Amino acid sequence: MGKIDYFSFHRVAEYFPLLLARLHITLIIAVSSLIIGLVFGTIIAAIRLFNIPILKQITTIYISFIRGVPINIQLFIVYFGLPALLNPIFLKVGFDLNLLDAFYFVIITYAFSSSAYLAVVVTAAIQGVDKGQQEAAHSIGMTRGQMFRRVISPQAFHIAIPEFGNAVVSTLKDTSLAFTVGVVDMVGVISSIAARTRHSLEGYVGAAIIYFVFCVLLERIFSSVEKKLKVYK
Amino acid sequence: MYKFDYLFFLHELWVAITYIPLTLELAIVPMLFGLVVGTILAICRIQNIPVLNTLIKIYILIFRSMPMVLMILILYFSFMYGFDTLASFFHLKIRSGDIPAIVLAFIILSVVSVAFMAESIRGALQSVQKGQIEAAHSIGMRQRTIYRRIVIPQALPVAIPILGNTFIGLTKGTALVYMVGVTDLITGVKIEANASYRYLEAYIAIAIIYWLLCIVIEQGIRLLSHKVNILARG
């Protein structure tokens, strides 16, 4: 048996442009699901902070579910479950959810998932603001809206930054699983490259390098923002 | 209209339950390995041993800044290729294909777990105030005694919730080992659904088992950390 060529850096370099050509799909998934997640997460946080009965219990179960179930399982549940649940309604308006691209299901799943994590971050941040601040704001006659806008949210924002950064990074990392439902993103494209060249390891290494750069970069950005904000404290 | 098949769902739930021991094994073995090796690495980092410290730092940075799937796949292929190269170098008949997938899964998850554990343990150990260690030094305690009697008892209450979270992460990480060919909870439950295409029922059953496992682990950690806190207060 001759020597088999298992790994070459040459191939990593060769694959790199092919992976980068798919990077935008990964980024679109991450960014759009984070934006939707932040909106929903804030709503969930409001429900929890205002202690709305029944709804609060539902959010507790929701958050526990999202935190307890691996993201790839959530992905498949949404992928199979959403059409099963909503197709009767959508078919009436002439739209078949089964024909919807997997890409959208991935965004929906990650939006669900990040909303739970971000809800926890937002809740903790707002609760982290000293009670005395609220009382002080009340005592000088601020309305609730003013108090939230001018006293609580700036401080809560500051508290939330490190955890928010973690949530962003972990959502970005989770996008690496989108290929399991057939999205041809940066990771998904590797299998089609490998079908041609019969070498997949280099593809995974390339994708890992790209993820690595993004994660480290994001962490740096968030920690520098955190430091900047400390100056104002 | 999709008809949810409750009977099939219950069947899948039962199949999933039979895979709980395997899932726990896949989480606990790497965790214990990570706990031991991670502690050693954490102490190396705190003691600031040259070269080694940098190497460990790089190792941890790489593993913490990459998606777990990619780590698993890269480790899998590297291990397989590395093993084959070594085996043919020594003219051995054994090939990577002969290694049971579960062994590979244990090895891969352990390598991943060490990186996460090392960082958690370091955080916990460093939460102990410097003054405590200096005080222990000043009364002539040796390094090992300091760790045993001063650092670890104080670090433990801090460590347990952090390690618990890492353990939950590892448990959820076991949902990826099917990629290296292990017949785990996911594969086992999915096989049953192949004939009827009732994947939704299968995945909901899988999700419920993982959810339950995580809740139980979380409660266990809460109990443990409560107990340790009482002990730590003396």
Side-chain angles (χ1 to χ4, degrees), chain B residues 42-207:
Chain B
I43 290 173
C44 285
R45 282 210 57 189
I46 291 172
Q47 298 295 342
N48 222 334
I49 299 167
V51 192
L52 203 59
N53 188 10
T54 318
L55 286 178
I56 297 168
K57 233 179 174 166
I58 293 170
Y59 169 60
I60 292 173
L61 181 70
I62 287 177
F63 275 80
R64 287 176 61 99
S65 313
M66 268 179 205
M68 205 155 166
V69 226
L70 293 179
M71 293 190 290
I72 288 175
L73 289 170
I74 289 171
L75 284 173
Y76 173 70
F77 285 114
S78 319
F79 185 84
M80 297 288 261
Y81 296 160
F83 190 86
D84 280 352
T85 314
L86 273 181
S88 62
F89 182 75
F90 289 110
H91 301 290
L92 296 174
K93 276 263 155 59
I94 188 167
R95 284 290 172 270
S96 54
D98 303 329
I99 308 170
I102 186 99
V103 176
L104 278 177
F106 278 133
I107 294 173
I108 291 170
L109 288 178
S110 297
V111 173
V112 175
S113 139
V114 167
F116 285 92
M117 284 292 176
E119 205 55 5
S120 312
I121 293 166
R122 189 178 68 101
L125 288 178
Q126 285 189 329
S127 71
V128 178
Q129 274 178 356
K130 265 249 158 77
Q132 295 273 331
I133 298 167
E134 282 159 8
H137 267 302
S138 77
I139 58 165
M141 274 193 185
R142 275 181 307 153
Q143 194 71 32
R144 195 180 294 174
T145 328
I146 294 176
Y147 267 105
R148 209 182 54 226
R149 303 185 56 174
I150 310 290
V151 177
I152 291 172
Q154 292 187 71
L156 210 55
V158 184
I160 284 175
I162 306 174
L163 294 181
N165 273 336
T166 314
F167 182 49
I168 289 177
L170 283 175
T171 310
K172 289 202 282 177
T174 61
L176 296 171
V177 293
Y178 73 90
M179 289 187 185
V180 300
V182 180
T183 312
D184 69 331
L185 198 155
I186 296 174
T187 324
V189 173
K190 246 181 78 183
I191 288 169
E192 304 275 320
N194 279 347
S196 56
Y197 282 104
R198 297 214 160 266
Y199 291 117
L200 181 60
E201 284 86 344
Y203 276 107
I204 291 179
I206 296 169

Side-chain angles (χ1 to χ4, degrees), chain A residues 110-145:
Chain A
Y110 290 153
F112 276 139
S113 165
S114 61
S115 75
Y117 286 99
L118 291 173
V120 176
V121 174
V122 173
T123 315
I126 290 177
Q127 280 174 339
V129 178
D130 193 42
K131 258 262 151 73
Q133 297 277 330
Q134 253 183 67
E135 284 156 10
H138 265 307
S139 74
I140 57 166
M142 277 192 183
T143 62
R144 265 184 105 101

